[in-house]
Amino acid sequence: MSKNALSLGMLCILLSVGNPFAQEMPQAKQPVRVGLYVSPPFVIQEKDQFTGMAVELWESLARAQGLQTDYISFPTVRALLDATANSDVDVAVTNLTITQDRAQRMDFTYPWFDAGLRIMVNERQGTGFLEVVTGLRDSGFLRAYAWIAFVVAAATGLLTLLDRRFAPDFPRRWRDGIAESFFSVMSIAAGKPTGRKNVFGWVGRIWQGLWLVCGIAVLAFVTSSVATVMTTLSLTNQINSLSDLPGKAVGVFTGSVSEDFARNSGLELHSFPDIDAAVAALLDGGITAIIGDAPVLEYYAHRHPEQRVDVIGGVFEPDKYGFGLPLNSSSTRRLTVELIGAHERGLVEELHAKYFGESP
C-alpha cells in the first residue's frame, strides 16, 4: 500500500470517528458568553460599555485566545453564580471569590487577586440630630426640657404684663412686647445683660439675680445632658472592629461571601443587590455597617468622599478571586495557563497599579 493511500485511509477514519479535540477547540468560533456583575473597580459600567480591572484582564486573555465576547450583566452575585453553574454563560468575570462550596458547583481559574473582607460605617456613626433627640427622649431629658420651656413661656408672659403696666416706654403692640420680654428672659438665662431698665427697685434686682442663677443652672443642665447623650451614643454605636457588630443590623451583598460570613456568624444581616443600595441604607440609618470585599469598599469610599463613609478595621476572612466557568468546562485549563502567563508578564501587577496605585 502506498503512503498516499495510507494517508487517505487515516483521514477517512478520523472523519468517521470525529475529532477527539472538538471540545477543546470548536470548529466554528462563536462569541464567548461572559457574565458580569458590576462591582467597581473590577467591573465598571459606563452606559453600555464595561471596563474595570477584571474586564481588562479578561479581554487580554480573550485576545490571546482569539475569542470574541458577548457581555451579559447580572444584578447580583447570586444570579451570576447560578447562570454559570447552569451553563447559561461560559465565563463569570467580576471580583469572584473562590470558595469550597462554589467549587463544587463550578470551575475556577488560577487566582489572580488576593483580597478579604472589611467593614464600612457611617462617618457620623449614630450621633446625628435624630439619634440625639431619640437619646434625649429615652433618657427622660425631653420631659425636663418641656418644663423649662413652660417656665420660660410663663416668665415671658408675666414680664410682658408687668412691663406694659409699669414701663412707659415698653412696646404697646403685644407682638413686639412679647418678643422684647422673651429676649430679656433668654438673655438673663444665658447670663448676659439685657440693657432693660429696672422699674421695680430692690425687688426687681433680687428677681433678676435669682433668675440669673436659675438661668445659669438651666444652661448647664441642657449642655451636660446633651453631652451625656452624645457620649453614650458614641460609645454604644461606635463600630471599630468585627467584635462590635453582634446585635447590630449589618448590610451585605446578595449571594456574596460577605452574606455567607454574616449568616454563619449569627449577625443580623440585610442583603442588598449592590454597594449603592447598601450605602443608601447605611446613611439613612437602616443598617449600622456594611461587610464587603475590602478593595470594593475602599474604592467606593475613595471615589465618593461626599457620602461620608469610612472603611475601618483590618482585613478578615482573606480570600482569592478567580474567573468562574461551568463545571468541567474545557476552557478552564486554557484560561488558567493564560492567567499564569499574565502574572509572569506583569500584566496583573500593571492592572493593579492602574486601579489601586502602586503597591507599597
Side-chain angles (χ1 to χ4, degrees):
M1 183 179 295
S2 67
K3 291 183 178 180
N4 290 338
L6 180 61
S7 298
L8 182 59
M10 291 293 294
L11 179 60
C12 291
I13 292 173
L14 288 173
L15 291 175
S16 64
V17 300
N19 185 355
F21 301 102
Q23 292 182 343
E24 290 291 334
M25 189 64 65
Q27 294 180 358
K29 288 187 177 181
Q30 297 179 349
V32 178
R33 299 167 300 171
V34 176
L36 300 177
Y37 168 68
V38 176
S39 181
F42 297 99
V43 178
I44 302 171
Q45 183 174 10
E46 298 176 351
K47 296 183 179 179
D48 295 331
Q49 299 297 318
F50 294 98
T51 184
M53 182 179 180
V55 173
E56 286 198 42
L57 180 58
W58 160 254
E59 291 181 347
S60 175
L61 305 184
R63 283 193 300 269
Q65 291 287 319
L67 303 175
Q68 299 297 319
T69 301
D70 276 348
Y71 288 128
I72 306 171
S73 181
F74 291 86
T76 65
V77 177
R78 179 176 297 157
L80 176 59
L81 291 173
D82 291 340
T84 307
N86 295 332
S87 299
D88 294 331
V89 296
D90 301 309
V91 185
V93 173
T94 189
N95 52 312
L96 195 61
T97 301
I98 302 172
T99 68
Q100 182 179 9
D101 290 340
R102 291 176 178 179
Q104 293 175 350
R105 302 179 58 203
M106 54 194 292
D107 284 354
F108 282 98
T109 63
Y110 181 79
W112 54 270
F113 196 94
D114 293 328
L117 301 178
R118 285 191 73 185
I119 301 169
M120 175 181 281
V121 297
N122 188 337
E123 197 174 81
R124 291 168 293 179
Q125 293 208 34
T127 56
F129 177 76
L130 293 179
E131 289 83 1
V132 172
V133 171
T134 301
L136 291 171
R137 181 199 63 193
D138 296 340
S139 301
F141 289 125
L142 287 187
R143 181 175 297 178
Y145 291 175
W147 279 107
I148 292 173
F150 173 77
V151 172
V152 169
T156 299
L158 179 61
L159 191 60
T160 301
L161 293 175
L162 292 175
D163 280 344
R164 281 178 62 87
R165 177 71 174 81
F166 297 103
D169 57 347
F170 189 76
R172 308 320 297 172
R173 296 177 61 181
W174 281 101
R175 181 187 63 187
D176 297 335
I178 291 175
E180 183 70 23
S181 298
F182 178 75
F183 177 78
S184 298
V185 169
M186 297 306 297
S187 296
I188 296 174
K192 297 181 179 180
T194 63
R196 60 182 282 109
K197 295 181 180 180
N198 176 24
V199 296
F200 301 107
W202 64 272
V203 176
R205 286 301 182 190
I206 293 177
W207 167 255
Q208 289 178 345
L210 292 176
W211 184 253
L212 180 62
V213 172
C214 292
I216 294 174
V218 168
L219 185 62
F221 170 75
V222 172
T223 302
S224 63
S225 61
V226 172
T228 299
V229 169
M230 292 187 66
T231 301
T232 302
L233 287 173
S234 179
L235 294 175
T236 302
N237 297 329
Q238 192 80 11
I239 305 295
N240 295 308
S241 66
L242 188 61
S243 61
D244 297 320
L245 293 181
K248 296 180 174 61
V250 176
V252 295
F253 305 120
T254 305
S256 67
V257 292
S258 64
E259 184 179 54
D260 296 335
F261 173 81
R263 182 177 294 108
N264 294 335
S265 301
L267 300 176
E268 179 188 339
L269 63 90
H270 297 259
S271 296
F272 297 92
D274 52 46
I275 191 169
D276 291 322
V279 169
L282 177 66
L283 297 179
D284 289 342
I287 57 176
T288 57
I290 299 172
I291 297 178
D293 288 355
V296 174
L297 300 185
E298 292 162 3
Y299 184 82
Y300 185 94
H302 174 70
R303 293 296 299 271
H304 298 85
E306 75 283 357
Q307 295 288 38
R308 307 293 298 274
V309 293
D310 285 333
V311 182
I312 53 96
V315 175
F316 56 95
E317 296 293 308
D319 52 30
K320 296 179 181 293
Y321 299 158
F323 294 144
L325 300 95
L327 197 62
N328 300 320
S329 171
S330 61
S331 301
T332 303
R333 184 179 182 279
R334 291 205 313 263
L335 291 180
T336 290
V337 171
E338 289 293 342
L339 270 173
I340 294 174
H343 274 283
E344 293 178 347
R345 294 192 306 273
L347 174 61
V348 176
E349 187 64 28
E350 290 177 10
L351 291 174
H352 187 283
K354 176 179 178 179
Y355 286 96
F356 294 96
E358 297 288 345
S359 300

